[in-house]
Amino acid sequence: MENNWKNKIDGLLLRREKVEEAGGKERVEKQHQKGKLTARERMEALFDDGTFVEINDMITSRATDFGMDKKKRPSDGVVTGYGKIFGRVAFASSQDFTVGGGSLGEAHAMKICRAMDMALDMKAPFISINDSGGARIEEGIDSLSGYADIFYRNTISSGVIPQISVILGPCAGGACYSPAICDYIFMTRQNSQMYITGPAVVKSVTGEEISAANLGGAQVHSSTSGVAHFVYEDDLSCLNGVRRLLSYLPQNNEDYSMVVPTTEVDRCDTLTDIVPADSKQAYDVRDVISTFADENSFMEIQPDFAKNIVVGFARISGKTVGIVANQSAFMAGSLEINASDKGARFIRFCDCFNIPILTLVDVPAFLPGSQQEHGGIIRHGAKMLFAYSEATVPKVSVIMRKAYGGAYIAMNSKGLGADVVYAWPVAEIAVMGAAGAVAIIGKRAIDAAEDPISKRQELIDEYNEKFMNPYVAAEHGYVDEVILPSETRERIVAAFDMLEAKEKTLPYKKHSNIPL
């Protein structure tokens, strides 16, 4: 009996050793030479020290065609499991490029789906780490069905638990659509690639020579396509970025974000130095955020895409707030197609997960021009209106300077359900700027004047005096209070404290039909 125990224990340890050696020392070394961690090293970096527990570690492919018997290895090219991140449970999958290039087959997909099901059952975040050459061709339709199973679970879990995709190698073909359904995508500058059709296919169809990085690298997806939300230099810094993001988020849609003690700051007395009173002069709205957000707490999302709008998470008195702000330093902060998509998606995420929204308004217009009109600015701009209107979380706005026309409405105006709206004394809330308004409503008077130039200036001055200020809006109830810039943090804190117990129920519906 004693020997039998020894044999069984030795057998188990041998099997574990086979699992842990992954694709073998040579392939692991190649992974390291590329600056990449192995699948298990990534899991250890993601979770709190000593908390990662692997599940289904010995699952092996059942495929036998095309010499698959010789290629099989325990764990089938993906590591799955759970652990804790800042003391809270999370689930994850990590593809192992050292085993068959991390290709996805039936058993591989089954492991990921089991982890996703557990995450949904436990109402905990799910993180998928992607490093795969794509579908396992030897397994044919079973591989494609595996992707479908994953996409289905991504969709069912959407808005229930946070889902984060981390691209730490290739993510090609249909595999891209799982990250696309997730809430946030992380990439590394050197090794990440995402594309539906690879460079060889592009060349065969168009004759164009293009590298994988130029086709679907981090630079492209963070600045041009808008697919990626965060970019880091290497695996370790990227996984630390995932951990940081999760610190702002609740576990699920019935939970609330952690309160994290941080250094509170109130530098709002510097706002008049940061923001010029002249609405034609630019400034960086991130400098505004730094005056009232807890120190070093602002985590910007998609900083290189649609730079005319800034979105991200910050803490105010230790509590997570989602911030949406026009960026005066880029395109004067106007709203266009990409900014509308970026803003609307972020607003809806905050609403899904009970995160209050602070909107900083300094917007001249929806960007005019035939390119925007033909590209569907009406459809895309409507997403902003829809997202704010549908959101039931606490919503506070600060109108800093310009708030013109339809763009004013779209930036969480009172009519779209803003709970509290503040305005600074230099705020200009109107249908359009004075010069444009006078050109329309004062045309006859200007044409009939002996001195048209003087008359035009007279009408502009009159329009500025009557309409280009926050007081008309305040008198009509569209602004709750006109405040000094130095009072901004104080008022924001008070408003969100007051709104903490807010409950609002929308009419019953199966789901809304946002203008996608």
Side-chain angles (χ1 to χ4, degrees), residues 142-353:
D142 287 330
S143 176
L144 298 180
S145 178
Y147 277 124
D149 291 339
I150 292 170
F151 302 161
Y152 177 81
R153 284 165 173 79
N154 284 137
T155 304
I156 297 305
S157 296
S158 180
V160 181
I161 56 174
Q163 297 181 89
I164 297 170
S165 273
V166 190
I167 317 299
L168 297 181
C171 181
C176 294
Y177 286 112
S178 175
I181 299 171
C182 288
D183 298 305
Y184 294 106
I185 296 175
F186 286 71
M187 298 182 78
T188 58
R189 209 171 296 283
Q190 184 177 357
N191 292 311
S192 298
Q193 298 154 17
M194 290 181 75
Y195 42 74
I196 299 299
T197 53
V201 176
V202 172
K203 183 178 180 182
S204 67
V205 173
T206 67
E208 179 187 4
E209 286 278 3
I210 189 167
S211 69
N214 288 336
L215 181 66
Q219 179 63 31
V220 170
H221 286 313
S222 64
S223 61
T224 304
S225 72
V227 169
H229 300 87
F230 301 96
V231 176
Y232 290 86
E233 293 302 321
D234 54 33
D235 286 16
L236 189 57
S237 60
C238 192
L239 293 167
N240 281 332
V242 174
R243 288 174 56 85
R244 184 186 179 203
L245 176 63
L246 286 169
S247 75
Y248 291 89
L249 310 183
Q251 290 288 88
N252 54 64
N253 62 348
E254 297 176 357
D255 191 20
Y256 293 88
S257 301
M258 298 186 296
V259 177
V260 178
T262 52
T263 304
E264 297 185 34
V265 298
D266 188 348
R267 303 190 186 95
C268 291
D269 57 350
T270 65
L271 280 170
T272 53
D273 298 322
I274 295 169
V275 182
D278 183 352
S279 63
K280 294 178 182 177
Q281 293 183 29
Y283 60 93
D284 191 334
V285 77
R286 291 169 295 192
D287 293 336
V288 173
I289 294 168
S290 70
T291 66
F292 59 77
D294 294 355
E295 193 166 14
N296 298 320
S297 72
F298 183 54
M299 187 175 192
E300 187 175 357
I301 297 168
Q302 292 182 299
D304 298 320
F305 178 70
K307 295 181 181 179
N308 37 323
I309 196 166
V310 170
V311 303
F313 299 110
R315 291 190 179 92
I316 302 177
S317 295
K319 299 175 183 177
T320 298
V321 173
I323 296 178
V324 180
N326 303 114
Q327 176 57 291
S328 167
F330 194 83
M331 295 170 61
S334 58
L335 294 176
E336 40 72 76
I337 289 170
N338 288 335
S340 298
D341 286 357
K342 175 180 170 180
R345 179 70 192 264
F346 179 73
I347 293 161
R348 283 169 67 83
F349 177 85
C350 290
D351 191 46
C352 284
F353 292 104

Side-chain angles (χ1 to χ4, degrees), residues 102-116:
S103 61
L104 184 140
E106 177 193 32
H108 183 121
M110 181 176 71
K111 286 184 66 173
I112 294 174
C113 288
R114 283 187 178 177
M116 295 177 78

